[in-house]
Amino acid sequence: MEGNRTNMPKIRLAKKTEFEALTLIWLNATLAAHSFVEREHWEAGLPDMENKWLPMSENYIIEIGEPPRIGGFLSLVDNYLAAIFIDPRVQNEGWGSELLTKAKQLRDSLTLKVYQKNGPALSFYLKHGFVIDHEEVDSSTGEKEYVMKWCR
């Protein structure tokens, strides 16, 4: 197991110098979770993720292992959970739950969007108290997604 659970993870604000690493985690996790969208679509979004979306967000990373390394991150824009991504090499070890707990500590309510075809993510959010508010279609992919909400 790469994520050593004997050392408690540290969640902290991300530094701008870490945005390139976060972008690579985003790409790898996105490709693993969204095989129903063409790879080229996600690769084309790399520059915007690093230079537009991350800079406009409040980003938190989770440091795991010894020596500490970035295991994943979350991005908030006001009460919108714009991103929560875990490095695929350490998924299913509880790091996403740790990050989501942090987001819930920081906000009284959260909204997010999740592709309907991303069953594991949908189940994850439902397990953590989010409810489906309504359905939309993502204009950039044409895929159906749920808008989900959580309130303290």
Side-chain angles (χ1 to χ4, degrees):
M1 181 187 317
E2 286 195 43
N4 186 350
R5 295 299 284 185
T6 60
N7 295 327
M8 287 305 295
K10 178 181 178 183
I11 298 175
R12 63 168 175 80
L13 279 167
K15 301 171 189 153
K16 187 171 174 52
T17 56
E18 295 167 320
F19 286 2
E20 183 178 354
L22 301 187
T23 300
L24 291 175
I25 289 172
W26 166 79
L27 179 63
N28 291 327
T30 295
L31 291 173
H34 305 116
S35 60
F36 49 88
V37 176
E38 300 229 357
R39 178 184 186 96
E40 294 76 20
H41 171 77
W42 303 119
E43 289 173 342
L46 281 168
D48 278 348
M49 179 54 105
E50 185 173 349
N51 301 309
K52 179 180 177 183
W53 303 117
L54 288 171
M56 71 182 277
S57 302
E58 182 181 336
N59 304 291
Y60 291 85
I61 64 166
I62 187 164
E63 292 181 332
I64 61 172
E66 260 324 303
R69 64 183 175 83
I70 300 172
F73 71 98
L74 72 87
S75 299
L76 295 164
V77 178
D78 298 320
N79 288 344
Y80 183 67
L81 181 58
I84 185 167
F85 290 98
I86 302 299
D87 184 326
R89 296 172 295 180
V90 294
Q91 285 183 353
N92 302 308
E93 295 181 18
W95 308 124
S97 294
E98 297 271 354
L99 283 170
L100 194 53
T101 296
K102 178 67 172 180
K104 288 176 169 183
Q105 291 169 350
L106 294 167
R107 302 292 192 270
D108 289 328
S109 65
L110 292 167
T111 301
L112 61 85
K113 293 181 182 180
V114 62
Y115 288 116
Q116 289 182 14
K117 290 181 182 174
N118 188 350
L122 178 58
S123 295
F124 173 79
Y125 293 123
L126 289 169
K127 178 178 92 174
H128 286 281
F130 283 78
V131 295
I132 296 170
D133 186 66
H134 64 278
E135 181 181 297
E136 293 181 350
V137 174
D138 179 7
S139 61
S140 71
T141 63
E143 291 291 331
K144 290 181 182 178
E145 58 189 1
Y146 289 122
V147 175
M148 301 184 77
K149 295 188 175 192
W150 168 85
C151 292
R152 186 175 316 278

